[in-house]
Amino acid sequence: MSTESAAVVAQRRRDSRQDQITLLRGSAIIALGYGLGAALQSTYVYANLVPAWQMVPLGSRLAANGIAVAVLIAVLAAVRAHRARRWWSRILVVLVAAAAAGFARYVAQLAFGVYDEPTEATRDAEVLSGFLLGVVSAGIGMWALSTRQIARVRTRAATRDAVHVELAVKALEQEEIRVRRAVAEGLHGTLQSKLILVDARLGEVLASADRLDPADADSLAWVRRELDEARDIDVRQMSRLLYPDRLELGLVPALRALLGRLPASIATRLTVSDAVRTLDDPTGSSLTVSERLLAVRVVEEAVSNALKHGPASSVAVTLDVVQDVLHVSVRNDGALYVPETAGLPSGTARLQTRLSLVGGRLSLTPGSEKGAHLEAWLPLGAGLA
């Protein structure tokens, strides 16, 4: 038997045991309550209305009802009533157990001297009352059992759905990373190579510019300059947006590369806690690529906002880990962020949605005196992005 099969069998045994305890405990508590109440009531009524029964002790009635409860529980346990699945089989075992309890109650009453020579009406009344006591008690026990089983099924279904969602998110993350890497490599490799070949061909054509019309030569020179700029700037920047530089080396190297591309007029500071350095150790990083990518996206969004709504003269990034949650904090000293007049932060909203899918959250608030403060909390340890 495999480990998984053994675990399933063990879980089923635990469930069956808990179902049995629920049924027997619920039935016993209700039956004991009914039995005690019936004994007290009958003793009081008979003692006041039937002088001949004044000498019947309360203990005898309690003992008879106690035996009825014991028989009820014993029959439910013996027939494994908790394993009944169909409604008619549950009704059947309840009726059988209740009938046994009612008969046992009457016999115990005779044995304990509650009745010496009971009439048929008395016998029928006692047996029927004991039977009804058993039906009500076992029925409530069955109801408690059914409620427990339904709740268990729903809980496990919800758990399975949550696991399926998590697996789907992981699969999408891995596919996104694969596509990002492939497109980035294609831009950096294939597209740049083609642009280089086109640039070389234009160079050959311009080398024989004496045979060209001056206006055409100027146009070709302009096209060459534009292609060269697109190759060196646009293509490389798009490649970095799709898959940040040094991401494979770790989160900290990727953030350093990102901050290093900012204009020299903007001072940058990257503060990394020891806990993050331990997790992001290049020799054995505990952070997944998807976790690093999402953290870098948070910083990119904050930097983009600082450049767009600045001018900011400084950007401070702080990384920390608290209780398996990566905390990313980015502050800038640009124009004060005012939520009422800043408009809809579309990029931040998309990032918030992305974080919420993996159990994280995002917060964009004004700085203490100026600028803005973007914070993100990303749960770690589950391969999230």
Side-chain angles (χ1 to χ4, degrees), residues 40-369:
L40 292 173
Q41 184 181 32
S42 60
T43 300
Y44 173 79
V45 171
Y46 291 155
N48 286 274
L49 300 180
V50 185
W53 288 354
Q54 289 182 356
M55 301 305 295
V56 176
L58 175 63
S60 297
R61 293 187 178 277
L62 290 176
N65 287 338
I67 288 178
V69 174
V71 170
L72 176 70
I73 301 305
V75 173
L76 291 175
V79 300
R80 298 179 179 272
H82 62 285
R83 292 189 175 182
R85 292 292 180 263
R86 300 183 181 276
W87 65 268
W88 59 265
S89 61
R90 293 190 173 188
I91 293 177
L92 180 61
V93 296
V94 167
L95 294 177
V96 170
F103 181 75
R105 178 173 180 264
Y106 177 68
V107 172
Q109 287 176 338
L110 295 178
F112 294 143
V114 175
Y115 300 107
D116 291 331
E117 296 180 0
T119 63
E120 290 186 0
T122 300
R123 179 198 63 194
D124 294 343
E126 291 293 351
V127 172
L128 179 60
S129 63
F131 173 75
L132 292 177
L133 181 148
V135 168
V136 172
S137 302
I140 293 176
M142 277 293 183
W143 174 81
L145 171 63
S146 299
T147 302
R148 173 186 173 81
Q149 290 175 336
I150 292 172
R152 183 173 64 217
V153 169
R154 290 178 177 175
T155 300
R156 290 182 178 172
T159 301
R160 285 194 299 271
D161 291 343
V163 171
H164 291 161
V165 170
E166 182 178 348
L167 293 176
V169 170
K170 287 182 181 179
L172 289 173
E173 290 165 354
Q174 297 304 317
E175 180 63 14
E176 180 193 12
I177 291 173
R178 186 192 67 79
V179 172
R180 283 176 177 271
R181 184 185 290 116
V183 174
E185 290 176 353
L187 287 173
H188 191 71
T190 306
L191 182 57
Q192 273 203 329
S193 297
K194 289 184 177 181
L195 290 177
I196 291 174
L197 292 176
V198 171
D199 180 74
R201 181 58 178 167
L202 287 174
E204 293 177 359
V205 173
L206 290 174
S208 57
D210 54 338
R211 292 178 295 176
L212 296 175
D213 183 89
D216 293 337
D218 291 341
S219 298
L220 288 176
W222 178 85
V223 169
R224 188 182 186 188
R225 289 193 301 271
E226 289 297 318
L227 286 176
D228 188 60
E229 182 178 352
R231 177 174 59 84
D232 288 340
I233 299 178
D234 297 340
V235 173
R236 288 184 180 180
Q237 287 183 351
M238 185 62 67
S239 176
R240 288 166 179 167
L241 287 175
L242 287 168
Y243 200 78
D245 286 345
R246 304 180 188 176
L247 189 65
E248 297 289 353
L249 299 178
L251 173 59
V252 175
L255 291 180
R256 285 175 176 164
L258 170 62
L259 296 177
R261 294 196 300 271
L262 293 180
S265 59
I266 300 178
T268 60
R269 183 174 73 253
L270 176 60
T271 304
V272 183
S273 69
D274 292 338
V276 175
R277 293 186 184 278
T278 301
L279 290 176
D280 198 44
D281 186 354
T283 60
S285 178
S286 300
L287 297 176
T288 64
V289 175
S290 54
E291 289 168 347
R292 299 178 210 164
L293 179 60
L294 188 50
V296 171
R297 292 296 176 231
V298 172
V299 178
E300 283 180 343
E301 177 66 20
V303 169
S304 176
N305 289 338
L307 295 176
K308 185 189 306 181
H309 305 293
S313 61
S314 68
V315 174
V317 180
T318 303
L319 300 180
D320 196 7
V321 173
V322 180
Q323 297 181 349
D324 296 328
V325 175
L326 177 63
H327 178 219
V328 182
S329 172
V330 186
R331 298 177 183 271
N332 71 75
D333 63 350
L336 181 65
Y337 169 67
V338 181
E340 292 76 12
T341 60
L344 182 64
S346 57
T348 305
R350 288 193 297 270
L351 197 56
Q352 169 64 52
T353 301
R354 184 72 178 276
L355 281 164
S356 65
L357 290 175
V358 298
R361 61 189 180 93
L362 192 72
S363 172
L364 177 60
T365 57
S368 56
E369 295 182 358

